[in-house]
C-alpha cells in the first residue's frame, strides 16, 4: 500500500518524492515519459533555492551549471534595459536536472512507473484510486504535478481548463557566442523569448507566441521570420546560432489563469498549482519551493494508518494557506508585468521608463522572486 502517489515527474514531483521518501513514507511516482527528456522550460533557477539544494546534498558544481547575474530586456525597436540581479541565479537544463533527480530518488528508494499514463484520479471515501493501463493503484494521498496543462485537468473538471488560452511555447537548445552570465528577455508582437546559458555548452532559447500569429503564417518557421525575428537581438541569434535539437519542444494553450492548490482532494504542486508568467523567469524555482512546502505539510499532518477526514481537512487548509502566502502575490505581479510586454510600442516605452528608474526595476524583479530558503 502506498502512502503517496505522485502523478507527474517534473521538478515538483521529483522533489516531493525525495522529501517524502526520506521521511519514511511509501511513495510511487508515475511519469508518462521516460528519463532523460526535454521539457518546454526557460531553464533558469533563482539562487534562492541554493540553501535548500545544499541541505539535500545536491552539488551544483557537479551539474556544471551556468552562473547568471545579469538580466537584459529588449524590444523589437532595439531598445534595451539591463539590470544586475541582486540575488542571481543559474542555468540548468531540464534534460540534465530531471534525470539527475530521477536517479537520486530511485537510489533512495522511491518507486517509479515511467512510460505510464494515468487515465484518471478518483477519490473514493477515504482514499484515491489511480488507474493506469495495467493496474489500479491506491493511496490515502495523491500529489498532482502533471504540468501546465494536462488531459487530467479536463478529467478533474478544473475551471481554468475551460478558459481557452491563446499562447503556445517553443524551446530550442542552441550553441552560440553569447554571455554566459546573462539572461536575456526579448520582446516582439504578442510574445517574448528568453535566452540563457544552461549546463555544458548549450544555451536555452524558449519563446512564447500567440496562436493567431501561428495560424496567420502557417508554420513555426514563418512565424519566426515574420514576428519573432523582428526583434534584432533574436534575429542575430537565429542567423548565427547552431540549433542542437532535431526538432523544438512545443506546448499549446499555456494558461496563466488562477488554479487551486488543492482540487478534488488532490494536492497540486509546481505548475499544476499555478504558473508564473515566463517573462518572470522563475517557474523552476517556484516548483522546487512548492514541493518543499507541500512535503513539509504532509509530513506534519499525515500518520500512516491513522489519517482521518479531519486530518485531511486540516492538511488541505494548511497547505492552501501556505501556498497562497508564498506564491499568490508573486503570480499576480507576474500577470501584471506580462501586460506591459508583447506590444512593441508599450514594451519600448516601459523599457525607457525602467532605464530611468533603477529602484523601480529592482523592486519589480524582487516581487517576482522569493527569499533564500532551506
Amino acid at each position: 500500500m502506498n502512502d503517496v502517489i505522485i502523478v507527474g515527474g517534473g521538478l515538483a514531483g521529483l522533489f516531493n518524492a525525495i522529501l517524502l521518501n526520506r521521511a519514511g513514507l511509501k511513495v510511487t511516482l508515475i511519469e508518462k515519459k521516460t528519463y532523460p527528456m526535454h521539457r518546454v522550460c526557460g531553464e533558469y533557477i533563482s539562487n534562492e533555492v541554493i540553501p535548500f539544494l545544499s541541505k539535500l546534498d545536491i552539488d551544483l558544481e557537479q551539474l556544471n551549471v551556468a552562473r547568471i547575474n545579469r538580466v537584459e530586456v529588449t524590444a523589437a525597436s532595439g531598445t534595451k534595459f539591463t539590470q544586475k540581479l541582486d540575488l542571481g541565479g543559474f542555468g540548468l537544463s531540464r534534460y540534465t536536472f530531471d534525470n539527475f533527480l530521477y536517479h537520486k530518488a530511485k537510489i533512495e528508494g522511491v518507486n517509479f512507473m515511467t512510460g505510464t499514463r494515468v487515465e484518471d484520479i478518483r477519490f473514493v471515501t477515504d482514499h484515491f484510486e489511480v488507474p493506469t493501463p495495467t493496474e489500479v493503484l491506491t493511496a490515502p494521498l495523491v500529489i498532482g504535478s502533471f504540468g501546465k496543462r494536462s488531459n487530467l485537468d479536463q478529467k478533474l473538471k478544473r475551471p481554468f481548463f475551460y478558459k481557452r488560452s491563446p499562447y503556445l511555447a517553443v524551446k530550442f537548445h542552441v550553441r552560440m557566442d553569447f554571455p554566459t552570465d546573462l539572461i536575456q528577455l526579448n520582446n516582439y508582437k504578442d510574445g517574448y523569448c528568453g535566452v540563457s546559458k544552461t549546463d555544458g555548452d548549450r544555451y536555452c532559447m524558449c519563446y512564447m507566441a500567440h496562436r493567431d500569429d501561428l495560424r496567420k503564417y502557417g508554420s513555426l518557421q514563418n512565424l519566426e521570420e515574420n514576428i519573432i525575428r523582428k526583434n534584432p537581438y533574436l534575429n542575430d541569434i537565429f542567423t548565427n546560432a547552431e540549433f542542437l535539437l532535431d526538432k523544438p519542444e512545443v506546448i499549446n494553450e499555456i494558461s496563466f489563469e488562477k488554479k487551486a492548490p488543492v482540487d478534488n482532494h488532490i494536492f497540486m504542486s509546481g505548475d499544476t498549482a499555478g504558473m508564473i508568467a515566463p517573462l518572470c523567469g522563475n517557474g523552476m524555482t517556484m516548483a522546487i519551493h512548492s514541493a518543499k512546502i507541500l512535503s513539509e505539510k504532509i509530513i506534519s499532518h499525515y500518520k500512516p494508518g491513522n489519517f482521518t477526514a479531519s486530518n485531511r481537512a486540516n492538511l488541505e487548509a494548511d497547505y492552501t494557506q501556505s501556498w497562497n502566502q508564498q506564491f499568490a502575490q508573486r503570480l499576480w505581479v507576474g500577470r501584471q508585468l506580462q501586460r506591459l510586454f508583447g506590444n512593441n510600442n508599450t514594451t519600448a516605452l516601459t523599457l525607457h521608463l525602467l532605464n530611468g528608474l533603477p529602484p523601480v526595476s529592482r523592486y519589480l524583479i524582487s516581487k517576482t522572486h522569493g527569499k533564500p530558503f532551506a
Side-chain angles (χ1 to χ4, degrees), residues 98-240:
D98 289 27
N99 192 47
F100 169 84
L101 294 170
Y102 161 65
H103 286 288
K104 184 177 183 64
K106 196 170 184 181
I107 289 169
E108 293 186 10
V110 175
N111 178 45
F112 279 87
M113 296 174 63
T114 58
T116 302
R117 186 174 294 276
V118 170
E119 299 176 340
D120 197 2
I121 303 173
R122 301 188 292 258
F123 184 71
V124 182
T125 309
D126 62 353
H127 69 280
F128 287 94
E129 295 178 352
V130 181
T132 72
T134 57
E135 61 182 308
V136 177
L137 281 72
T138 62
L141 297 172
V142 166
I143 293 173
S145 56
F146 36 83
K148 302 170 180 62
R149 184 181 179 87
S150 165
N151 289 336
L152 284 172
D153 291 312
Q154 184 177 26
K155 277 271 187 183
L156 297 168
K157 296 181 170 58
R158 301 186 75 194
F160 87 90
F161 190 89
Y162 300 95
K163 298 177 182 178
R164 302 300 299 272
S165 170
Y167 295 108
L168 65 135
V170 181
K171 187 190 84 171
F172 302 92
H173 276 168
V174 301
R175 189 178 291 122
M176 61 180 175
D177 182 17
F178 190 90
T180 61
D181 66 338
L182 176 70
I183 181 168
Q184 190 179 67
L185 302 169
N186 303 291
N187 290 265
Y188 42 83
K189 177 181 172 290
D190 297 329
Y192 39 83
C193 175
V195 181
S196 60
K197 180 84 162 52
T198 67
D199 49 292
D201 63 350
R202 294 171 291 181
Y203 288 79
C204 175
M205 184 167 68
C206 190
Y207 71 72
M208 190 177 78
H210 200 285
R211 67 167 175 240
D212 290 348
D213 293 321
L214 179 60
R215 286 173 181 163
K216 179 178 179 179
Y217 294 107
S219 70
L220 289 179
Q221 184 176 356
N222 288 339
L223 171 70
E224 290 157 6
E225 290 285 348
N226 288 280
I227 298 288
I228 295 170
R229 294 181 66 166
K230 296 301 182 184
N231 182 302
Y233 299 93
L234 286 172
N235 186 56
D236 183 66
I237 292 172
F238 273 94
T239 300
N240 297 304

Side-chain angles (χ1 to χ4, degrees), residues 34-104:
T34 57
Y35 300 93
M37 69 193 82
H38 292 285
R39 297 183 189 271
V40 175
C41 180
E43 301 186 331
Y44 166 85
I45 306 177
S46 164
N47 282 340
E48 66 199 75
V49 307
I50 288 180
F52 174 66
L53 297 183
S54 298
K55 193 174 178 180
L56 293 182
D57 301 318
I58 295 173
D59 182 3
L60 293 178
E61 297 308 317
Q62 177 188 344
L63 294 170
N64 194 26
V65 303
R67 302 291 182 173
I68 296 170
N69 54 42
R70 294 185 297 140
V71 63
E72 199 166 78
V73 187
T74 75
S77 64
T79 306
K80 180 170 67 174
F81 160 77
T82 304
Q83 175 75 52
K84 183 180 182 298
L85 291 169
D86 291 337
L87 188 59
F90 57 92
L92 179 58
S93 73
R94 296 295 300 275
Y95 188 89
T96 297
F97 199 20
D98 289 27
N99 192 47
F100 169 84
L101 294 170
Y102 161 65
H103 286 288
K104 184 177 183 64

Side-chain angles (χ1 to χ4, degrees), residues 220-278:
L220 289 179
Q221 184 176 356
N222 288 339
L223 171 70
E224 290 157 6
E225 290 285 348
N226 288 280
I227 298 288
I228 295 170
R229 294 181 66 166
K230 296 301 182 184
N231 182 302
Y233 299 93
L234 286 172
N235 186 56
D236 183 66
I237 292 172
F238 273 94
T239 300
N240 297 304
E242 175 189 358
F243 287 75
L244 303 177
L245 301 181
D246 292 335
K247 60 179 182 179
E249 294 288 314
V250 182
I251 56 173
N252 293 303
E253 293 213 40
I254 300 173
S255 176
F256 306 108
E257 295 287 339
K258 290 183 180 179
K259 303 176 183 177
V262 180
D263 209 326
N264 295 274
H265 298 292
I266 302 165
F267 294 93
M268 305 301 183
S269 192
D271 286 343
T272 316
M275 182 179 168
I276 195 165

